Amino acid sequence: MSKLDQTATIPASFSERHAGRIRQMRLYGHMFRGSFSSMLGLTLVGIFLILAAVGPWIVPFPEDTLGAVHMGSRLLPPSTEHWFGTDEMGADIFSRVIVGARTSLWIGIVITGLGALIGVPLGIIAGYKGGFVRACIMRLTELFLAVPGLALALAIVASLGPGLTNCMVALAIVWWPGYVRLVEAKTLAVKEELFVESARSIGAKTPWILWHHILPNCMSPIIVKMSMDMGMAILAAAGLGFIGLGAPPPAPEWGAMVSVARSYMPDWWWYSFFPGAAIFLTVLGFNLLGDGLRDILDPRSRAR
Amino acid sequence: FERTDAGNVIVFGGRQAIPVLDPHIRYDWSTRMIQQGVYDALVKYEGDPAEVKPWLAERWETSDDGKTWTFHLVENAKFHNGDPVTAEAVRYSFERGLKLNKGVAWMLKDFLSPEGITVVDDYTVKFELKAPYAPFLSFLPWWFVVNPQQVKANEVDGDYGQKWLTDHAAGSGPFKLGRWEPNVLYEVISVEDYWKGWPQGDNRPAGVIYRMIREPAAQKAALQRGEADIVEGLTSDDYVQIARVPNIVIEDHKGMTTFGIKFNTQKGPTADINLRKAIAYAMDYDAMIGIYNGAASLETSPLPDAMKGHIEVEGIPRQDLATAKEYLAKSAYPDGGITLDYVHVAGLEEARRIGLVLLDNLKALNIDVNIKPEQWPNMVAAGASVDTAPNMTSIFATPISTDPDAVAYQYHKNSWGQYYGIAYYDNPDVSRMIDEARAATDWETRAELYAKIQKQIVADQPEVFGMLQNRRWARQDYLQGFTFSPVRFTGEVDLYPLWIKEN
Amino acid sequence: MNSTLLDINAYSLGIGTFDGPIHVLKDINITVKRGETLGIVGESGSGKTVLVRSVMGIGPSNSRVQAGHITFDGQDITRMNDKGWAKIRGIRISMIFQDPMTYLNPLFSIGRQISDVIAAHERAAGQGISSKAMRRSRTQELLEQVGLPAPAQLFDQYPHQLSGGMRQRVLIAMALAGKPDLLIADEPTTALDVTVQAQVLDLIKSLVKKLNLTVIMISHDIGAIATVASKCAVMYKGEIVEQGDTAAVLSNPQHDYTRQLLAAVPDIEVTPARLLAKQAVQDVIPAPQKLLEAVNLRKVYKTQAGGEFAAVDNISLSVNVGEIFGVVGESGSGKSTLARMLLRLIEPTSGDIFFEGQDISRLRGEPLRQIRQHMQFVFQNPHSALNGRHTIGDAIGEPLRIQTTMSRRDIDVRTEALLDIVQLPKSFRYRYPHELSGGQKQRVCIARAIALNPRLLILDEPTSALDISVQAQVLNFLQQVRKELNLTYVFISHDLAVIRQICDRTIVMKRGKIVEQGDTEQIFLHPAEEYTRALIESGRVTSRAARLRA
Amino acid sequence: MLSFTLRKLLTVAGTMLGIAVLTFVITNIAPGDPARLVAGPNATEDMVDTIRVEYGLDRPMIEQFGIYMKDLITGDFGTSIVTTRPVLDELLRYAPATIELVVVAMILGVALGVPLGMLSAVYKDGPIDHVTRILSISGVALPAFWFGILMQLYFSVDLGWLPVSGRLPLVTRPPDMVTGSLLLDALIAGNLETFRTALSHIILPAVVLSFPCLASILRVNRSEMIEVLQSDYITAARAHGISAGRIIAVYSLKNALLPTLAMIGLRFGWMLGSTVLVETVFDWPGIGLYAVSSALASDFKPVIGVTLLIGFLFIIANTLVDLAYAWIDPRLRRA
Ligand SMILES: Nc1ncnc2c1ncn2[C@@H]1O[C@H](COP(=O)(O)OP(=O)(O)OP(=O)(O)O)[C@@H](O)[C@H]1O
Ligand SMILES: Nc1ncnc2c1ncn2[C@@H]1O[C@H](COP(=O)(O)OP(=O)(O)OP(=O)(O)O)[C@@H](O)[C@H]1O
Ligand SMILES: [Mg+2]
Ligand SMILES: [Mg+2]
Ligand code: NI
């Protein structure tokens, strides 16, 4: 075996070693750029992320986002000073909408993150193990899926009391089953692939197979779903905010803003219009992005 | 309004449902409004300032010791099914209220037992109280008389007809029940030959529909489109805006609902009177009025202005940052640096906004405020124990009589655990004086006691004394006969005298 | 009568892709006369399908004709619009497809699909549509014509209720519905069982005669071309490298590629050289030592209907150290199931397996993992046996990472050495599977299998997904590796020529049972079973065609 | 067949039981004090206790749970504390309104979503595709509550075309109850005027509710259609000379409809859930409104009841979808 005792040769450059990956990425980029709606989604999400990152530092009236009250300038229409007008406490709606991006981003990340964190492992285990374990997990999942999410979240928040944390917990509780279902189906398919059997034939243990073979192959639909869910989670949280179970004042949360503002329609239309439009654009962005990602990452996957 | 074959039907747009109509079980404003329409009581509150007017009882007398009350009933009153309203019906109704031990029972149950009510003759009924109780009469407008025959006929398992009365009525009032579609509309139909007649005579409407419209925007739309004749519960700004619309009139009257930010005076930082004073002086009281666009007035005493025995207490805190800082310096938190919870009922807009004002004002004291909206049941549950009662709670309280005891008793130690006793205010002197004033039959003595009580409470600052919000409705100008009386509940309107003037 | 029906003249086609256009067809020149049968052979991806689809106007959507014309019956159809096609497609030219499983719409009954085609033709001809009943009888007529029994019943059945052979006949019936002038058959038999293949070919042949059809047929299988086609064209990388009379092309190949192709077809008739050599030194053979032994293996699956079905039924076998043990049988006979059980990848329902005398049928967990080091598996389909998200280096290194405690660097070194052994460049370490050809992928799979120096390698049809020319390379290479590393093979195949070339002993499987076993040569020369004879016969057709020149 | 039905019934029962347990546990994590709410603001402690005893709230949670489960099996959903009426009665009263709304919205969603999805697939990557896609995704992204209010303001207040809220005008007597759906009942009663007004009331909420559903149906239908259009059997159909129109309208549609059906089943449950918001905005007296008002009052028996009912309807809808699947797909038909 002496001929094996050489050192491994390393090819010249990074780009050479990863030529395949790079080409793949370029292909994705090309396909993405070709689609108007995907680019629109990417742009919207990009703007949203930037606002969430730097919002508090760029808004004209940062103190208004922390609950400043200016009884003298209540419900002013949009003007050069207050771009989006002011609300019933005289706070600058523009500032509050911009800073609200943070709250929404946080909500979206926590809910989808928790949902995926619970759902993906369960889904993989259910799909891979089969038998009794799968029956248990899937039964539970179906149970949760049969219950209307919003109604269940409503009950949870009503019971725990309103507030951002409770709202996120409630939504995460109703969110994970979607992931179990998705990942389970995907795992069932991937499990049948020869390479999984091949890994078993070389003596790989189950965790190794799950981590190295199943999970990476489930990743595309998970990414697509998470992108879509970011939007939907923000929307759902706004819905709870609308019923009055969302973020407490003075936190600038879009759903809560629309909720308060709805009684000021139509004479003070700007109050509800701008936060509503912010929700709409953000969710639209994430959905378009997810749709675009689906087209390139996972063209054959069924919706959901 | 809606034209029907029988005449015009007035439409009232309201946000609150009427789940249970039974007069001895529930009495929130929407419920009471319909109850007042379909039932009669011995007496009725009317006018501003409110006065107790004879109704089923045409006159009454009190014994000298203040313990025995005898009522003489009108003889022409009859229930909707034609039965006469007799002394027995009155006795039965009070017995029912007391035995069910729900709703209105708390008003009388400590002073009156069912055995204490006796039928003297067909139209005379006698109440014997356990102890003299000055406010007795002021509670009677809330005790409606039901028809015992009908109720007994519909009794299930000795439930005093509770199930049946939930959406049926057995009353003698000016209206009887029409369509009853929970969560959609509740209709009452005027009784043609109401025993007391109709003040508007032939203009009497065919009926009234109480229509559920939950969203203020929809309410406003309904009003503007003429789908509703009178609505309640618009935002302050809407009232200002809609007042400019031709043909729409805003009813704006001084009410008796007090607002206070009650401190937990026993536990936590707010047990420190200096901190409480500091907060009270830091509060921007004008902003409270601003929130109502001026349709409110500041409290000058724990008692509302329209209440008997009210005095203007001198030195009640107004915004004064210097004084606030002085008090803060004297407190255990001279530099602030604490966070206080402010709990309000979720969905109560004004309470939320006052919370924002508070938050803004207390920044000057370097105190942070954590605004927590809570569902009413949860809030009450937390407030039931001194350990879980929040630092600050916003409380609106509407007294149900003009007797000062109705408010003063909130500061009695016996009120601990009740939502209005959430401050856990403890001043033995005050409690003693309240007890004395209750039992006294002589108004002069009482007035003096109440003056003292008011001053002492203000001095102890168990709460930030807020404002009295005005009661407002927006109505079409053709809706006539609107009357106001401060003792009624927030949105409640007396349906009896209303009518439509068509041009 | 001998007029030109189809003329493809200097035809070039490009397909637009992300990397720019690729030239799939380059300067194609073909003429087909009426009544002729043209066969096209060529390796996978050489452009056969694209070519014939272009003739039908259903080529890839983003393709562009770069030069040349296609003329059908005097009419230029190169750039025809849909309206023009409506009169030609399916009526004058029609097509039979490769995979009968996917070319029938699963949701519509057979009869409905065929009578719809008839209706479409009538509409296109402008004669008005005949009644339902008439179409029904015409459909049944067609079904009868392609040799399907009980056409009346078949009419209301759905595709999933039919076997592969029947479906292919239905597709043929459909193609004949319009009484076409030109029939195109794109690998009509590759997806079928060996035994069924012959029947379908016979059917096509008889139809050609009966209906005087002009046919273009594509096939991998030189035997099939030789049976059916009078003319023949060879395609290579988008070009026609050679064409002419079938016999002439096969007996006297001009182009290098054609020669290679013919040479790669293993000859079933020839006694392998290996045996001749062995016979010479017969007496020196030591007593065989058993490496793997299976006793009464059974695997029972539950069927959908709730019954039971034995995929492998009471099979016993023993494999000696150093030999190549062959397993043959038609599709579905349980070969893969058996192989998987031998490796304990699936649990046998009953029976025992011994590896080096140790009973491994009850092993679990760690001991089982240990034993896996010594026996490895090479799968039927190299395209899905590699995880598309791992690089080749990762794939080869994976067994080392799992089974040994070697350092990352050592693994890299060993990976490169393994790439060397399977004759792939070291730079392949960084590639992804989709960047490799089928033959290369199969070599990677083999490298992966031998990474742990196993003693036994089970090869489940390692070449069936590969082109013939590639198959020959892989086979050679396998034998080489075996010698170098001293391996024992269990070799599964449905191709008897291959089996005969390399296997010492063989079992023949049918429906989960062994129908014949023994010395490979013995089985070939004196097959005892009808089934075995049929298998051998179908292999002969190909071999014979390839050996025309000899 | 019998055993199949029996098994199906058993799983349904199991799921319902599961939902009941789940919601009961969830709603009692941190129980509020509904008794206090209904007792009224001034009630004394002993008055609150009266109500607690009456509704069994004074018992330990486990015991309450046991009683609830026992009652549930006999078909008793408990009693709402706020309205003092049996939950089942109230559900039966409010459910028809919700079902009517959801069904109308679903019809709208399918009637628009499927053709638009086809159109979008056929003209893939063209302008039509982009417009329908962005429009449809907007449907998912629009916050129903906000969109509802906007529609209300525009169509009802500004234009005055449609009523603001409710199911019927005030003085219109609802037709005799047969199905519970006002639209159907009006037709049965032959009262076209009532039908017209009922229709004008349902339009806005149904449109708002159907938007997200339309979007997902469109999306699934589009991607399925694209996939089917590329499939082998469609290529074969083309090669056999079947016209493009027929291929799209008959062949591909049927194949693409299968996953769309599954989506419809899923969306049905989702819609039932989101009526919570839409009913609030439009004062639609259905179970969503009932659930919200009960939840806000910590009156949880109705919430559990609503959840059970929606779960049940969801299962029914999905069973129907399964049946439709088997009807369309011969591979699923058993002899
Ligand atoms: N739609 C398409 N887009 C891009 N490239 C394509 C497309 N269709 C075919 N090709 C490429 O054209 C070439 C010829 O493909 P074709 O299907 O004609 O091969 P083939 O000879 O029929 O192979 P096989 O024997 O495997 O069927 C291949 O390299 C293939 O990758
Ligand atoms: N997991 C399974 N469940 C049910 N039946 C199975 C399963 N796996 C295989 N079978 C059935 O067992 C039989 C034998 O299958 P197997 O894959 O062993 O055949 P094979 O001889 O390898 O065929 P091929 O040549 O097509 O690879 C087939 O009829 C197959 O349908
Ligand atoms: Mg091909
Ligand atoms: Mg096989
Ligand atoms: Ni060595």
Side-chain angles (χ1 to χ4, degrees), chain B residues 140-345:
Chain B
L140 293 187
W142 306 81
W143 288 70
F144 292 110
V145 176
V146 300
N147 184 348
Q149 264 75 38
Q150 268 177 297
V151 173
K152 282 177 186 158
N154 291 292
E155 222 170 51
V156 195
D157 309 333
D159 72 342
Y160 278 101
Q162 278 186 76
K163 257 202 186 73
W164 186 72
L165 275 184
T166 299
D167 49 7
H168 294 84
S172 57
F175 297 95
K176 53 186 191 227
L177 287 196
R179 276 190 294 156
W180 199 256
E181 299 176 24
N183 269 338
V184 182
L185 60 84
Y186 310 90
E187 186 189 37
V188 289
I189 299 167
S190 58
V191 176
E192 202 181 334
D193 51 349
Y194 179 50
W195 60 270
K196 211 170 160 60
W198 291 87
Q200 65 277 59
D202 289 342
N203 289 323
R204 144 187 91 78
V208 178
I209 289 180
Y210 177 78
R211 179 183 174 193
M212 295 283 309
I213 310 179
R214 286 177 184 74
E215 294 294 316
Q219 274 193 334
K220 199 161 62 163
L223 187 68
Q224 280 168 328
R225 283 163 55 93
E227 284 179 21
D229 302 314
I230 176 164
V231 301
E232 172 280 337
L234 299 182
T235 64
S236 306
D237 296 293
D238 271 335
Y239 281 118
V240 177
Q241 195 86 349
I242 213 164
R244 296 186 204 126
V245 177
N247 305 329
I248 292 197
V249 179
I250 305 293
E251 294 288 346
D252 187 348
H253 304 272
K254 264 203 162 46
M256 293 224 296
T257 304
T258 57
F259 173 81
I261 302 173
K262 306 233 175 193
F263 296 112
N264 183 342
T265 58
Q266 299 294 322
K267 290 272 155 75
T270 46
D272 183 340
I273 185 165
N274 288 313
L275 183 70
R276 299 205 297 266
K277 288 268 181 200
I279 293 173
Y281 278 104
M283 190 75 194
D284 179 0
Y285 292 87
D286 292 337
M288 286 199 194
I289 306 295
I291 283 169
Y292 288 92
N293 278 321
S297 54
L298 289 183
E299 273 189 291
T300 53
S301 139
L303 301 189
D305 296 6
M307 189 157 268
K308 280 203 309 191
H310 162 90
I311 59 159
E312 297 205 350
V313 180
E314 256 172 73
I316 194 163
R318 292 291 173 251
Q319 191 177 28
D320 180 355
L321 268 185
T323 318
K325 286 190 174 144
E326 261 169 50
Y327 274 111
L328 188 69
K330 280 192 261 176
S331 77
Y333 313 93
D335 304 316
I338 47 173
T339 302
L340 300 176
D341 283 346
Y342 167 87
V343 172
H344 70 87
V345 177

Side-chain angles (χ1 to χ4, degrees), chain C residues 331-332 334-337 340 380 460-461 492:
Chain C
S331 183
K335 305 184 294 291
S336 301
T337 309
R340 288 192 161 91
Q380 189 160 2
D460 185 4
E461 311 200 35
I492 297 172

Side-chain angles (χ1 to χ4, degrees), chain A residues 55-280:
Chain A
W57 291 280
I58 58 163
V59 294
F61 301 94
E63 74 282 4
D64 285 11
T65 63
L66 303 171
V69 173
H70 311 284
M71 295 304 282
S73 53
R74 305 173 60 235
L75 296 168
L76 297 179
S79 63
T80 45
E81 195 194 349
H82 299 286
W83 291 0
F84 292 176
T86 61
D87 68 11
E88 90 285 6
M89 300 305 285
D92 180 46
I93 295 176
F94 179 68
S95 306
R96 288 179 64 81
V97 166
I98 299 289
V99 174
R102 269 192 169 203
T103 324
S104 291
L105 181 74
W106 177 235
I107 290 174
I109 288 180
V110 170
I111 294 172
T112 44
L114 277 181
L117 224 55
I118 304 172
V120 171
L122 282 180
I124 288 195
I125 291 170
Y128 191 76
K129 281 272 172 190
F132 182 69
V133 179
R134 167 158 186 263
C136 283
I137 295 178
M138 293 320 285
R139 264 289 108 103
L140 194 67
T141 308
E142 273 161 29
L143 194 68
F144 269 88
L145 282 173
V147 192
L150 204 55
L152 193 62
L154 178 77
I156 299 174
V157 183
S159 164
L160 290 178
L164 202 55
T165 319
N166 290 345
C167 169
M168 289 191 292
V169 167
L171 284 172
I173 289 178
V174 300
W175 222 268
W176 61 268
Y179 287 91
V180 178
R181 213 180 146 110
L182 175 84
V183 174
E184 190 247 7
K186 186 78 192 167
T187 306
L188 277 181
V190 174
K191 183 173 95 167
E192 294 303 318
E193 296 273 354
L194 275 184
F195 61 79
V196 174
E197 203 173 359
S198 167
R200 280 210 293 141
S201 79
I202 57 172
K205 290 180 190 152
T206 305
W208 172 281
I209 293 178
L210 294 185
W211 183 251
H212 283 90
H213 293 283
I214 309 269
L215 187 62
N217 281 287
C218 294
M219 235 30 229
S220 322
I222 294 178
I223 290 173
V224 171
K225 185 169 166 60
M226 284 187 79
S227 162
M228 300 257 190
D229 279 359
M230 277 292 286
M232 301 323 284
I234 291 172
L235 199 60
L240 285 182
F242 177 78
I243 301 179
L245 299 175
E253 200 268 319
W254 295 334
M257 285 172 80
V258 174
S259 171
V260 173
R262 67 165 185 256
S263 28
Y264 291 89
M265 297 268 239
D267 302 280
W268 300 277
W269 57 269
W270 58 87
Y271 188 8
S272 73
F273 180 79
F274 290 107
I279 301 178
F280 169 62

